[in-house]
Amino acid sequence: MIQTQICVCIYSSTRFDFKVGLLAQKAYLTVSLTPDNLRPKNIGFKTPLKPKNQFLSHKRSYRGSLQTMAGFTMSLNLLLLVAMVATNILSLYHLSSTTNFFQSAVKSSPSSVPTVPDHLLRQLHTIRAAINHLTNHNPDKSTSTVSSTVSSSAPPKDLLLYSKLSPIASACHNYPDLLHEYMNYTPFSLCPSDADLAEKLILRGCHPLPRRRCFSRTPRATDSKPDSHVIWSRYSSCKSFDCLAAKLPGAGFDLSAEKSKSQFSAYKSELDLPITQLLQIAKSANSVLRLGIDVGGGTGSFAAAMKARNVTVVTTTMNFNAPYSEAVALRGLVPLHVPLQQRLPVFDGVVDLVRCGRAVNRWIPVTVMEFFLFDLDRVLRGGGYLWLDRFFSKKVDLENVYGPMIGKLGYKKVKWAVANKVDSKHGEVFLTALLQKPVAR
């Protein structure tokens, strides 16, 4: 048997040497080819060769073996391709049959699908709120670098500012602990005694509060006395309205009809604006007062005094360690439990008068105050009145900040009175202003 070996050695880019050794015959042939003519030259024989015909026959048999091997390789590749295609088809068939099986099982037995308990859903919402809170306060550096490169997809800074100033319950996720405590209750039973917790969430911008499926606690009213219509366990200072009237004489907890009529009727200083004078100003300007809003109205003393004069006033108030909302309701008035930073739940241009009590003062952030004033402008009708009753601030802030801010509204100054605070140590003053909105813009 004759064995044939071909060795290819590349020595340069212009010369190729093919060495064909016939090991069985102990013959060695060197053929030098160039890319120009590809013709053999310098053929030398180290040992005598056999006849030429015998050499050509061995060469043909070697070429045939190469062709046979190439055909076998192609056949093997084709077989592997067919096997791969068949495997993918079987996998797709298996997946489709499994999906159809589960769909048919769900349709056939919907009752067998397990339901998620309510307490697990509440815990899931709390976890999501906590994750959002941590994400907002500790953003990932990698994501921040990516977001800085893609600035077009990031929300505008003004939009984020507006959502902070006028949150539509968007601030609830900033306080996951308080929210979790508020929503930790037993459904279809009595609600927890957590009125103070609700106040904390509302004052932090979490308003409106999430709804709950529990029964609110109500007082056991045994008679028509006002004290029996309040759950006094919520408040630690007093257990009756007489106690509150003695401790807070100027807060309006004296609910007698005579006291209500006498409120806002005296003129003791230039900061006072009696209701009779207010009605006379409106009458002289051919403006009718039918509906009003008392922002930060406390116990509803102004609304009660206007009710005696056939004017309906809605009071916004909060329960700061005292039953302010209950006092407003016991007077037959409507208490709105909303914070100052929230949009008033009133349609545009339907209110004749807006009064801002002492709750509206310099403690409100400047930007929030500006949004608040423009929201009051929204609800006022053309020709309506805005009454700032004893607005408290420093004199320099009134001249440089709040005065120009109020001037942006473009209202007519019907009354503008400034007086120093009696025990002022830092130049604090009070402002009483009655402003009239233009009839048309």
Side-chain angles (χ1 to χ4, degrees):
M1 182 177 181
I2 300 175
Q3 298 181 359
T4 306
Q5 179 180 0
I6 298 178
C7 300
V8 180
C9 302
I10 303 175
Y11 293 99
S12 64
S13 60
T14 58
R15 183 177 177 84
F16 303 90
D17 293 334
F18 290 84
K19 298 180 181 180
V20 180
L22 302 178
L23 300 180
Q25 302 296 329
K26 299 181 180 179
Y28 193 85
L29 172 64
T30 300
V31 181
S32 298
L33 300 179
T34 59
D36 298 331
N37 48 19
L38 295 179
R39 292 183 180 180
K41 55 185 178 180
N42 298 329
I43 301 177
F45 297 94
K46 294 182 180 179
T47 57
L49 293 176
K50 295 297 181 179
K52 182 177 180 181
N53 294 333
Q54 185 178 0
F55 172 75
L56 293 177
S57 63
H58 286 300
K59 188 176 181 181
R60 292 192 188 96
S61 62
Y62 175 73
R63 290 180 178 176
S65 63
L66 289 179
Q67 293 177 357
T68 304
M69 184 178 297
F72 175 75
T73 305
M74 292 181 61
S75 302
L76 182 60
N77 291 337
L78 181 61
L79 180 61
L80 292 176
L81 179 62
V82 172
M84 183 178 63
V85 173
T87 303
N88 291 334
I89 293 175
L90 290 176
S91 300
L92 292 175
Y93 174 76
H94 176 69
L95 290 175
S96 61
S97 61
T98 305
T99 304
N100 294 332
F101 170 75
F102 281 111
Q103 289 179 353
S104 61
V106 171
K107 291 180 180 178
S108 61
S109 58
S111 61
S112 62
V113 180
T115 58
V116 181
D118 292 337
H119 69 280
L120 292 180
L121 289 176
R122 292 196 300 271
Q123 291 179 1
L124 178 61
H125 293 324
T126 304
I127 292 172
R128 288 177 176 173
I131 292 174
N132 292 334
H133 175 70
L134 294 175
T135 303
N136 291 335
H137 288 274
N138 299 314
D140 189 6
K141 294 182 179 180
S142 61
T143 57
S144 61
T145 55
V146 173
S147 61
S148 62
T149 55
V150 189
S151 59
S152 59
S153 61
K157 294 182 179 180
D158 293 342
L159 181 61
L160 299 178
L161 176 64
Y162 300 153
S163 64
K164 295 291 184 181
L165 296 175
S166 299
I168 309 174
S170 60
C172 293
H173 72 273
N174 292 332
Y175 307 95
D177 296 335
L178 293 178
L179 185 62
H180 174 68
E181 185 179 355
Y182 179 76
M183 295 303 295
N184 187 16
Y185 69 99
T186 304
F188 312 112
S189 62
L190 280 178
C191 295
S193 182
D194 55 359
D196 55 340
L197 180 61
E199 292 276 328
K200 292 179 182 178
L201 284 170
I202 292 176
L203 291 176
R204 285 166 173 78
C206 183
H207 185 270
L209 290 173
R211 292 180 175 179
R212 300 190 296 188
R213 293 179 296 170
C214 60
F215 301 102
S216 62
R217 297 177 180 268
T218 54
R220 297 180 180 180
T222 57
D223 49 33
S224 59
K225 294 182 179 180
D227 294 342
S228 62
H229 294 268
V230 178
I231 302 178
W232 293 102
S233 60
R234 297 174 178 174
Y235 315 104
S236 58
S237 58
C238 289
K239 304 299 180 184
S240 65
F241 282 108
D242 293 336
C243 174
L244 290 173
K247 281 192 173 184
L248 305 172
F253 283 105
D254 187 354
L255 305 181
S256 60
E258 293 78 10
K259 187 67 175 179
S260 299
K261 290 181 181 179
S262 63
Q263 292 286 326
F264 300 94
S265 59
Y267 185 87
K268 299 179 181 179
S269 68
E270 56 182 348
L271 296 176
D272 293 326
L273 180 60
I275 293 180
T276 54
Q277 184 181 358
L278 174 65
L279 296 176
Q280 183 62 35
I281 292 173
K283 183 178 180 181
S284 60
N286 295 325
S287 180
V288 181
L289 299 182
R290 295 168 297 230
L291 180 62
I293 298 178
D294 189 11
V295 180
T299 59
S301 300
F302 176 71
M306 295 298 286
K307 180 182 179 182
R309 294 165 176 82
N310 200 26
V311 179
T312 302
V313 175
V314 179
T315 302
T316 70
T317 185
M318 300 291 293
N319 283 20
F320 294 110
N321 299 322
Y324 288 95
S325 297
E326 293 92 326
V328 175
L330 288 172
R331 283 173 160 165
L333 305 171
V334 179
L336 292 180
H337 196 214
V338 294
L340 294 176
Q341 70 266 29
Q342 201 66 39
R343 185 178 187 267
L344 291 173
V346 182
F347 193 70
D348 300 358
V350 296
V351 177
D352 303 315
L353 172 67
V354 175
R355 174 185 172 269
C356 297
R358 298 189 181 183
V360 181
N361 51 53
R362 70 183 182 92
W363 301 114
I364 302 175
V366 175
T367 311
V368 177
M369 175 68 75
E370 188 173 25
F371 274 87
F372 170 73
L373 291 176
F374 275 88
D375 193 41
L376 300 183
D377 174 79
R378 177 185 63 84
V379 300
L380 274 174
R381 65 168 176 81
Y385 292 93
L386 172 60
W387 179 9
L388 299 177
D389 191 3
R390 286 176 169 80
F391 179 82
F392 172 71
S393 69
K394 293 183 178 180
K395 184 176 181 181
V396 62
D397 293 336
L398 180 61
E399 295 175 353
N400 299 330
V401 179
Y402 299 108
M405 182 188 301
I406 296 172
K408 291 180 181 180
L409 298 175
Y411 286 12
K412 176 184 177 182
K413 292 183 180 180
V414 181
K415 179 182 178 67
W416 188 276
V418 180
N420 295 325
K421 188 180 178 182
V422 177
D423 55 348
S424 175
K425 296 181 180 180
H426 303 283
E428 292 93 351
V429 296
F430 287 106
L431 166 68
T432 293
L434 182 64
L435 310 171
Q436 186 178 20
K437 182 178 180 179
V439 176
R441 290 188 185 275

